[in-house]
Every structure is written in C-alpha cells, then in structure tokens.
C-alpha cells in the first residue's frame, strides 16, 4: 500500500468513528423531558373532583390536584371566589401543572410554561413550542365540600 493510500484509508476510518459517536450522542436520553400525558386537554367531560375544606386548602396559596383538576386557594373564606380552579395537565404536551405561590403563577413541570390562576398564558414552553390558555372551572360549595363537575 502506498503511503498516500494508507493516509486516505486512515482518514476514512477516523471519519466513520467520529460520525458513529456523534450520531449515538444525538439519540434520546433517559433524562430528556418526555410528555407524561400528550395533548393535555383537561379532564374528560363528566369528571368530578371534591375537596374537603375542613382539612384541605386551609391557607391562602395552598393547592391540590384531584382527578386532573388543580384547586388553588386565592383568598380566605369558603366562598366560590376564594378559589381558582383549572385543568392540572398542561395543554402543550401534558406536563403536570403546579401552583407556585411565591411567584403567584401556575407552572408546567415539563417545559416551564406559566399561567395566571385564571388560566391566561404568562410564558410559552421553553422548548420553542406553543401552549394555549388553561381551561378554568367554576366550583360549587356545599357545606365543607368544594366541588367541580366538568
Ligand atoms: S408540557 Fe407544559 S410546557 Fe410543555
């Protein structure tokens, strides 16, 4: 083998090794965020969720998810206006939504989109996608039971 042929074949080998390692590095990793409920459109019609106000949501800023519905206490007292109620699953790709009392917004755990307690969008997902406003629900109160029937 001529020296030039050897160098050319060596260069091709290195290129193949580099390409292979680069492609394997581009594959999905276990730590990549994955949608946990793609297409989160909120709970199905007919879904009911109840909260016992004698033991739950006792302080302003407390929140609770029941049957895919996020309940947030936004004011003292047990009036309908004391609570914000939204879907608990992100419309973008189904991440779990949480109330962040310190910042006064709802945030998605998957791509960090943010919403007001009234469901309006404050920040789009951090993956370049777009989300939509949250569905909100008007609860009823009977005795110590706060309820939503979708
Ligand atoms: S799933 Fe919520 S921002 Fe992507």
């Amino acid at each position: 083998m001529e020296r030039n042929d050897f160098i050319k074949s060596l260069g091709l080998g290195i290129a193949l090794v580099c390409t292979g390692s680069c492609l394997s590095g581009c594959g999905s990793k276990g730590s990549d965020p994955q949608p946990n409920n793609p297409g989160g459109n909120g709970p199905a019609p007919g879904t009911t969720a109840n909260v016992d106000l004698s033991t739950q949501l006792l302080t302003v800023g407390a929140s609770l998810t029941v049957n895919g519905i996020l309940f947030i206490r936004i004011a003292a007292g047990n009036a309908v206006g004391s609570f914000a109620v939204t879907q608990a699953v992100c419309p973008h790709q189904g991440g779990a939504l949480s109330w962040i009392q310190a910042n006064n917004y709802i945030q998605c755990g998957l791509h960090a989109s943010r919403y007001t307690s009234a469901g309006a969008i404050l920040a789009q997902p951090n993956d370049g996608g777009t989300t939509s406003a949250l569905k909100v629900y008007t609860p009823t109160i009977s005795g110590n039971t706060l309820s939503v029937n979708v």
Side-chain angles (χ1 to χ4, degrees):
M1 175 180 283
E2 294 290 325
R3 183 168 47 178
N4 283 348
D5 293 337
F6 174 75
I7 290 173
K8 283 180 186 174
S9 68
L10 188 62
L12 179 61
I14 289 172
L16 288 173
V17 168
C18 288
T19 302
S21 63
C22 289
L23 289 176
S24 68
C26 294
S28 177
K29 297 227 182 324
S31 60
D32 286 350
Q34 295 294 319
N36 56 17
N37 186 8
N41 291 319
T47 299
T48 298
N50 298 316
V51 175
D52 181 353
L53 295 176
S54 69
T55 59
Q56 298 170 304
L57 300 182
L58 299 178
T59 59
V60 174
S63 62
L64 180 67
T65 296
V66 179
N67 294 342
I69 299 170
L70 177 62
F71 293 87
I72 307 162
R73 178 180 279 283
I74 58 173
N78 285 352
V80 168
S82 302
F83 302 94
V85 186
T86 73
Q87 66 184 89
V89 177
C90 183
H92 176 229
Q93 290 184 354
L97 299 174
S98 301
W99 174 246
I100 311 296
Q101 174 64 15
N103 297 322
N104 201 38
Y105 56 58
I106 296 167
Q107 184 167 21
C108 176
L110 199 54
H111 304 116
S113 61
R114 295 193 296 267
Y115 310 85
T116 68
S117 61
I121 298 168
L122 291 173
Q124 290 289 345
N126 62 13
D127 70 344
T130 56
T131 190
S132 54
L134 302 180
K135 291 179 180 171
V136 296
Y137 308 100
T138 302
T140 58
I141 296 176
S142 176
N144 281 329
T145 304
L146 175 69
S147 300
V148 164
N149 189 0
V150 177

